[in-house]
């Protein structure tokens, strides 16, 4: 307020006038005191007696000198006025006068110092991570970014597991809700099918509609079950139309099959099973073909060679340009979908064992071979085929007049495959299959375990059982299957071992039997094989060798000779022949 009043005064003239106004009453008071009260004597303590008796005697008084001393005090000094004016001046003028205070940095330097207060984040971060005792980072402290990076790198490098538990600990409820949707979100468009049982094609099913199903049932079923139609096959061996469908969601094959089976318009539904060729390569080449002597092929070929008997080989692609197969393969059929046929060792070997020509001895050197490519060698697990591929091969073989069908592959039981085998057996086709190379602990594999199939196991040159061969009461006979000299792609030769080779040997022997007696039924072929077999292992049929070792010459002779005569002439030193019922072995 006082400073505002001073500023309101126009200058020194106004100030002098103000001083005079203030000084005038003081002068009057001083004059009155110097006179003293009238009539007062010298005894008055305050003076008296006019001007003579008055004056400065007596008690304290404020006279002109006192006023002169008081008035200057009432006028603010120039410094105080200047300082007050500076305190009231606007802020923009202070930076202009900062150069006058360059010698006093403390009052004006505190503003930039808040910036180095960046250490607060550093001091806050230091107590939190316990492993921060590393003080070597002070050299990097000037840039605050460098100080913070080591803090982040430590939990990532060393205690990487610490941040993970901390997150769920802070928000346990939200993460489960957020993580569950991602697990379910990719289900419809994941592109990968759901779980499948061993031996099943993931994400594929086979189904057939009833003959009286209404028109438009197929599209409606596909749409309702969220299936994509891959192919449709019409068969003649078993009159049916089979649809192959695929799904991409996470449903299991069993669930989709069950859903299809509940539809009253569906006649049958099943998985598309996987089958694999059974054979193992051998590193060295044998010097002689012991198969010829073991099977007594030379004696059998004296009367029969399998001429004009059609044998279908459902396998991988054989090498038709091989010298031993050039004149043996009469027709081919590709049951696969679109892939380019490439010669495969397994298919080339099996075709050569059944009916190779030229220098390589075979079981039926004049048989007519049908090559069915139902297995592709392009998978990681080797040559594999599916139920649909095998059914196509069986159906085509029947239409081409095959009397013997060799199936050197193994896999799970399949309803459609079993139905086709039963239908083919009813039409006089003899099916021969490999027992499998899954070992003694393996359950029976199919199609060998099917009652309409002759199951074959493998032995070596010393009549010892192939160690990897399957066991079971479904086995019919044994045949050479270890270190077998076979044809190989690009005109070569090699060695293979497995029950696949043994099955091909028996398929050739059956061709010899059918040439000797074309009207044989499948049950009669089985009876002749088992009756003429040389017993191995414990006396009688067993789970390792079946009825015994197959004998080509003995089987051909068993077709014409009486049973009693056959049993008396077949045994040799160290061998025995055990008659076995012609009935199909019971499924284990």
């Amino acid at each position: 307020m006082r400073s505002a009043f001073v500023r309101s005064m126009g200058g020194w003239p106004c100030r002098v006038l103000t001083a005079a106004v203030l000084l005038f009453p003081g002068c009057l008071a001083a004059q009155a005191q110097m006179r003293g009260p009238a009539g007062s004597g010298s005894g008055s303590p305050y003076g008296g007696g006019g001007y003579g008796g008055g004056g400065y005697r007596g008690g304290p008084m404020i006279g002109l000198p006192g006023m002169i001393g008081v008035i200057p005090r009432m006028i603010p000094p120039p410094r105080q006025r200047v300082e007050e004016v500076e305190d009231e001046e606007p802020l923009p003028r202070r930076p202009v006068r900062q150069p006058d205070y360059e010698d006093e940095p403390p009052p004006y330097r505190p503003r930039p110092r808040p910036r180095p207060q960046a250490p607060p984040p550093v001091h806050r971060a230091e107590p939190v991570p316990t492993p921060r005792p590393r003080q070597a980072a002070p050299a990097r402290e000037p840039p605050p970014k460098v100080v913070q990076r080591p803090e982040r790198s430590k939990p990532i490098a060393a205690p990487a597991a610490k941040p993970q538990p901390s997150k769920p600990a802070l928000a346990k409820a939200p993460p489960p809700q957020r993580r569950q949707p991602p697990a379910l979100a990719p289900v419809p468009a994941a592109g990968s099918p759901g779980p499948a049982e061993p031996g099943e094609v993931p994400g594929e099913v086979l189904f057939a509609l009833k003959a009286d199903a209404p028109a438009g049932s197929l599209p409606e079923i596909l749409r309702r079950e969220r299936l994509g139609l891959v192919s449709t096959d019409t068969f003649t061996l078993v009159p049916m139309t089979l649809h192959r469908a695929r799904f991409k969601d996470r449903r299991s094959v069993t669930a989709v099959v069950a859903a299809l089976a509940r539809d009253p318009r569906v006649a049958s539904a099943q998985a598309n099973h996987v089958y694999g060729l059974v054979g193992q390569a051998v590193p060295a080449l044998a010097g002689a073909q012991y198969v010829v002597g073991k099977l007594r092929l030379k004696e059998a070929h004296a009367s029969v060679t399998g001429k004009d008997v059609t044998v279908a080989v459902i396998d991988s692609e054989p090498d038709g340009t091989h010298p031993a197969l050039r004149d043996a393969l009469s027709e081919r059929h590709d049951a696969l979908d679109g892939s380019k046929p490439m010669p495969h060792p397994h298919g080339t070997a099996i075709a050569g064992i059944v009916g190779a020509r030229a220098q390589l001895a075979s079981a039926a050197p004049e048989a007519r071979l049908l090559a069915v490519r139902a297995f592709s060698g392009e998978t990681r697990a080797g040559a594999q085929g599916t139920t649909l591929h095998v059914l196509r091969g069986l159906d085509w073989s029947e239409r081409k007049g095959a009397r013997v069908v060799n199936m050197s592959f193994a896999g799970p039981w399949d309803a459609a495959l079993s139905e086709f085998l039963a239908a083919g057996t009813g039409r006089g086709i003899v099916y021969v299959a490999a027992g499998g190379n899954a070992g003694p602990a393996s359950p029976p594999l199919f199609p060998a375990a099917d009652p309409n199939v002759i199951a074959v196991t493998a032995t070596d040159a010393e009549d010892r059982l192939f160690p990897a061969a399957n066991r079971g009461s479904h086995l019919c006979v044994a045949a050479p299957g270890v270190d077998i000299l076979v044809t190989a792609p690009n005109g070569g030769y090699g060695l293979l071992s497995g029950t696949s080779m043994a099955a091909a040997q028996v398929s050739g022997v059956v061709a010899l039997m059918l040439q000797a007696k074309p009207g044989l039924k499948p049950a009669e072929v089985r009876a002749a094989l088992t009756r003429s077999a040389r017993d191995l292992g414990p006396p009688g049929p067993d789970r390792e060798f079946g009825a015994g070792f197959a004998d080509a010459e003995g089987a051909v002779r068993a077709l014409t000779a009486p049973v009693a005569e056959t049993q008396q002439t077949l045994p040799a030193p160290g061998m025995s022949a055990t008659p076995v019922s012609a009935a199909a072995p019971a499924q284990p």
Side-chain angles (χ1 to χ4, degrees):
M1 295 292 294
R2 187 177 55 184
S3 59
F5 173 77
V6 173
R7 281 198 305 268
S8 63
M9 304 301 293
W12 287 108
C14 294
R15 295 175 183 176
V16 172
L17 179 60
T18 302
V21 171
L22 295 175
L23 186 60
F24 180 74
C27 293
L28 295 179
Q31 183 179 3
Q33 290 179 359
M34 292 174 60
R35 273 184 193 173
S40 63
S42 57
S44 176
Y46 297 106
Y51 292 102
Y56 292 99
R57 291 184 309 171
M61 60 180 177
I62 300 175
L64 182 59
M67 293 297 300
I68 295 174
V70 171
I71 290 174
R73 294 179 182 177
M74 297 175 61
I75 300 174
R79 287 188 179 180
Q80 293 178 358
R81 181 173 53 85
V82 172
E83 289 178 359
E84 290 175 359
V85 172
E86 288 181 356
D87 294 338
E88 296 295 331
E89 285 181 357
L91 293 174
R93 295 183 181 181
R94 291 183 181 179
V96 177
R97 297 186 178 183
Q98 282 181 0
D100 299 337
Y101 300 93
E102 290 180 355
D103 297 337
E104 299 177 2
Y108 296 95
R109 294 283 182 175
R111 291 184 180 177
R113 285 188 179 180
R115 295 180 182 176
Q117 288 179 359
V122 175
H123 291 294
R124 293 175 185 175
E126 287 179 358
V128 173
T130 52
R132 181 74 193 277
R134 297 183 180 179
Q135 294 292 337
R140 300 183 179 179
E141 284 181 1
K145 295 181 180 180
V146 179
V147 175
Q148 295 177 356
R149 286 177 183 173
E151 296 175 0
R152 297 178 181 176
S153 62
K154 288 178 183 178
I156 294 174
K162 292 183 179 179
Q164 294 179 354
S166 62
K167 291 181 180 178
L170 295 177
K172 288 184 178 179
Q177 297 177 355
R178 295 179 181 176
R179 290 179 183 176
Q180 288 177 357
L184 300 175
V187 167
S192 59
E197 296 295 331
E200 296 179 351
V201 179
E204 286 192 7
V205 292
L206 303 176
F207 67 96
L209 300 180
K210 294 181 179 179
D212 57 350
S217 298
L218 179 60
E220 182 181 350
I221 293 175
L222 294 175
R223 181 174 57 257
R224 186 194 64 187
E225 301 298 336
R226 292 169 288 165
L227 301 174
L229 185 63
V230 179
S231 62
T232 299
D233 294 82
T234 301
F235 301 97
T236 57
L237 180 60
V238 175
M240 65 182 301
T241 299
L242 201 60
H243 305 285
R244 176 188 174 196
R246 185 175 297 164
F247 57 92
K248 296 183 179 181
D249 52 33
R250 296 295 299 175
R251 292 177 294 170
S252 65
V253 174
T254 304
V256 177
V257 170
L260 289 171
R262 288 192 295 266
D263 195 310
R265 297 167 293 181
V266 176
S268 64
Q270 65 169 67
N272 192 13
H273 290 104
V274 180
Y275 297 88
L277 301 176
V278 285
Q280 298 178 356
V282 181
L285 191 64
Q289 294 180 263
Y290 71 91
V291 176
V292 177
K294 283 290 181 180
L295 290 176
R296 297 205 290 173
L297 292 177
K298 187 176 181 180
E299 293 80 358
H301 290 168
S303 58
V304 288
T305 57
K307 187 176 182 179
D308 297 332
V309 178
T310 303
V311 180
V313 178
I314 300 179
D315 213 284
S316 55
E317 178 69 15
D319 185 5
T321 63
H322 197 287
L325 298 176
R326 187 179 297 115
D327 300 329
L329 299 175
S330 59
E331 290 188 60
R332 298 184 183 182
H333 176 67
D334 192 355
L336 299 183
D337 302 316
S339 58
K340 182 179 179 181
M342 297 292 294
H344 190 263
H346 197 277
T348 304
I350 299 302
I353 293 173
V354 174
R357 275 41 168 186
Q359 298 179 353
L360 184 64
S362 62
E366 292 187 356
R368 177 174 175 263
L369 301 184
L370 301 177
V372 179
R373 178 177 175 257
F375 292 80
S376 173
E378 301 173 357
T379 63
R380 294 182 178 179
Q384 289 186 342
T386 65
T387 299
L388 186 60
H389 301 150
V390 175
L391 297 183
R392 291 172 180 173
L394 293 174
D395 189 74
W396 181 83
S397 300
E398 188 274 334
R399 287 189 276 113
K400 291 298 179 179
R403 292 297 311 278
V404 184
V405 176
N406 184 84
M407 301 179 293
S408 291
F409 53 86
W413 178 83
D414 188 278
L417 178 58
S418 180
E419 186 178 0
F420 272 59
L421 294 175
T425 301
R427 299 188 183 187
I429 302 175
V430 180
Y431 296 103
V432 182
N437 298 344
S442 170
L445 298 179
F446 293 83
D450 191 275
N452 294 295
V453 176
I454 296 175
V456 184
T457 188
T459 57
D460 61 9
E462 302 298 330
D463 293 339
R464 292 171 300 194
L465 186 67
F466 180 52
N470 281 47
R471 275 72 161 172
S473 59
H474 63 284
L475 296 175
C476 183
V477 292
V482 180
D483 295 348
I484 305 300
L485 182 63
V486 297
T487 52
N490 302 321
Y493 297 87
L495 288 176
L496 285 178
S497 294
T499 57
S500 286
M501 285 72 235
Q505 307 282 6
V506 174
S507 294
V509 173
V510 173
L512 300 180
M513 299 170 65
L514 291 175
Q515 182 189 358
K517 196 172 182 178
L520 283 177
K521 295 181 180 180
E524 296 174 339
V525 172
R526 179 192 294 272
L529 277 174
T530 56
R531 188 169 62 246
S532 62
R534 295 183 286 111
D535 191 24
L536 296 176
D542 55 70
R543 294 174 55 86
E544 294 184 349
F545 300 97
F549 193 87
D551 185 351
E553 197 273 337
V556 172
R557 187 159 36 131
L559 297 175
T560 56
V563 174
E565 180 183 352
T566 304
Q567 294 178 0
Q568 293 177 1
T569 56
L570 283 179
M575 302 180 183
S576 64
T578 305
V580 181
S581 174
Q587 181 176 342

